[in-house]
């Protein structure tokens, strides 16, 4: 087990993949998470919609508190004075010089869910180009403190072809995402950053529960999602009996040595850091 101190956190996400990585080839993700913790029964927030869920992942509180939905995130900047800041704002306020970066295929995340200002490097591009930009950024900024990625195609494919284990084009999209995740993981490794980084791999929600081509319900196909991480202090084969995606922010801040805000809903799973 690696007992080094965690110097940085990477949160690498894909949209709308549920826990269906179990039903298609994801060799890069599987190999990486075999060295850490993984669950296929993490719970998305309700409603199981992108802005509500990514908002909880990045702000550590349930949607009723952060107040985000797809329309708001698409049309408004997140209020800089909110009592529920993102992890980016919290790190920036504590560490003015820290390098922070957010890469999203779905523009409302970097424009409406993560605050404007605060010196956060932000890029929005299609999935393939976005990963190229991340590879370049990591090569040139090996001292990054917090980096977030969202790739969009599983969700787009689910809306188009239907979600679930019986939808070949949807599963193909997830396998393609695994290739892109593999490229980012290799970029992190090539810079020698793996041994003192916490890397979280996750998705925001599933789909196909109440509606084959949509999501938003509390059906298990919409709610059950994969979540995993590896890094210093996380033993291989760590079991995570209960985890909500809102816990992601708590795990990231804890790994960086921050105290968690009292008003947060996110918690660090007891079993995670041995």
């Amino acid at each position: 087990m690696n007992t080094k101190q965690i110097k940085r956190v990477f949160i690498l996400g894909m949209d709308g993949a549920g826990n269906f990585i179990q039903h298609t080839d994801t060799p890069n993700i599987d190999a990486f998470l075999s060295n850490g913790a993984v669950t296929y029964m993490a719970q998305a927030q309700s409603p199981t919609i992108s802005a509500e869920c990514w908002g909880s992942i990045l702000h550590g509180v349930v949607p009723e508190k952060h107040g985000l939905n797809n329309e708001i995130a698409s049309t408004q900047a997140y209020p800089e004075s909110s009592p529920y800041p993102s992890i980016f704002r919290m790190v920036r306020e504590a560490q003015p010089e820290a390098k922070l970066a957010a890469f999203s295929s779905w523009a409302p995340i970097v424009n409406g869910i993560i605050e404007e200002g605060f010196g956060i490097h932000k890029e929005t591009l299609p999935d393939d180009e976005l990963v190229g930009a991340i590879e370049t950024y990591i090569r040139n900024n090996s001292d990054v403190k917090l980096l977030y990625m969202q790739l969009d195609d599983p969700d787009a494919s689910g809306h188009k072809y239907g979600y679930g284990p019986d939808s070949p084009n949807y599963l193909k999209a997830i396998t393609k995402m695994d290739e892109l995740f593999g490229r980012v993981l290799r970029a992190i490794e090539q810079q020698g950053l793996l041994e003192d980084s916490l890397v979280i791999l996750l998705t925001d929600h599933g789909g196909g529960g109440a509606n084959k081509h949509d999501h938003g319900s509390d059906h298990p196909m919409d709610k059950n999602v994969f979540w995993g991480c590896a890094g210093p202090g996380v033993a291989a084969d760590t079991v995570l009996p209960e985890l909500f995606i809102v816990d992601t922010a708590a795990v990231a801040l804890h790994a960086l040595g921050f105290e968690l805000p009292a008003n947060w809903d996110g918690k660090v799973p007891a079993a995670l850091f041995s």
Side-chain angles (χ1 to χ4, degrees):
M1 188 185 68
N2 186 339
T3 55
K4 282 181 178 280
Q5 186 182 357
I6 295 168
K7 291 188 178 171
R8 68 195 73 74
V9 172
F10 296 92
I11 300 172
L12 308 181
M14 62 174 94
D15 209 288
N19 62 9
F20 304 117
I21 68 168
Q22 298 174 102
H23 302 283
T24 187
D25 288 336
T26 52
N28 293 293
I29 292 172
D30 296 346
F32 184 76
L33 292 179
S34 70
N35 295 313
V38 63
T39 175
Y40 302 98
M41 295 296 290
Q43 295 298 291
Q45 304 311 127
S46 295
T48 48
I49 297 171
S50 292
E52 283 89 339
C53 288
W54 290 120
S56 290
I57 286 167
L58 293 169
H59 291 264
V61 295
V62 295
E64 291 76 15
K65 291 180 181 175
H66 63 62
L68 290 158
N69 60 36
N70 285 2
E71 186 183 357
I72 290 170
S74 299
T75 56
Q76 300 172 31
Y78 191 82
E80 291 181 18
S81 58
S82 169
Y84 307 112
S86 74
I87 52 177
F88 284 95
R89 183 182 132 198
M90 293 182 68
V91 175
R92 168 59 69 237
E93 289 176 348
Q95 300 180 359
E97 302 304 314
K99 287 187 180 179
L100 311 173
F103 296 83
S104 177
S105 183
W106 189 52
I109 295 177
V110 293
N111 295 331
I113 294 178
I114 299 169
E115 297 89 349
E116 291 183 345
F118 297 106
I120 304 160
H121 178 93
K122 294 180 175 182
E123 295 192 46
T124 299
L125 292 162
D127 290 345
D128 278 295
E129 294 171 50
L130 193 76
V131 166
I134 294 169
E135 289 171 316
T136 300
Y137 182 86
I138 292 171
R139 267 198 307 273
N140 296 330
N141 298 275
S142 59
D143 55 342
V144 65
K145 180 63 67 175
L146 175 65
L147 185 147
Y148 164 80
M149 170 185 88
Q150 179 264 0
L151 303 177
D152 206 51
D153 193 41
D155 198 47
S157 294
H159 285 297
K160 185 175 180 180
Y161 302 111
Y163 297 80
D166 57 349
S167 180
N169 286 322
Y170 170 68
L171 296 180
K172 207 175 292 178
I174 294 175
T175 294
K176 171 64 177 170
M177 293 303 101
D178 179 74
E179 289 175 30
L180 297 180
F181 269 58
R183 283 172 51 188
V184 176
L185 291 170
R186 276 190 293 281
I188 296 169
E189 186 173 22
Q190 284 164 0
Q191 294 302 309
L193 306 181
L194 272 189
E195 62 179 26
D196 55 5
S197 299
L198 183 74
V199 183
I200 300 169
L201 309 184
L202 80 167
T203 188
D204 57 337
H205 58 73
N211 178 333
K212 184 66 180 167
H213 293 266
D214 207 356
H215 51 86
S217 80
D218 282 344
H219 188 285
M221 287 179 69
D222 292 8
K223 284 279 278 193
N224 296 344
V225 296
F226 83 92
W227 190 101
C229 69
V234 181
D237 302 318
T238 298
V239 176
L240 298 170
E242 184 176 69
L243 189 135
F244 298 86
I245 60 170
V246 71
D247 297 332
T248 307
V251 171
L253 275 200
H254 174 80
L256 292 172
F258 286 77
E259 281 192 31
L260 304 189
N263 64 3
W264 267 21
D265 301 300
K267 303 281 184 282
V268 179
L272 186 55
F273 294 102
S274 48

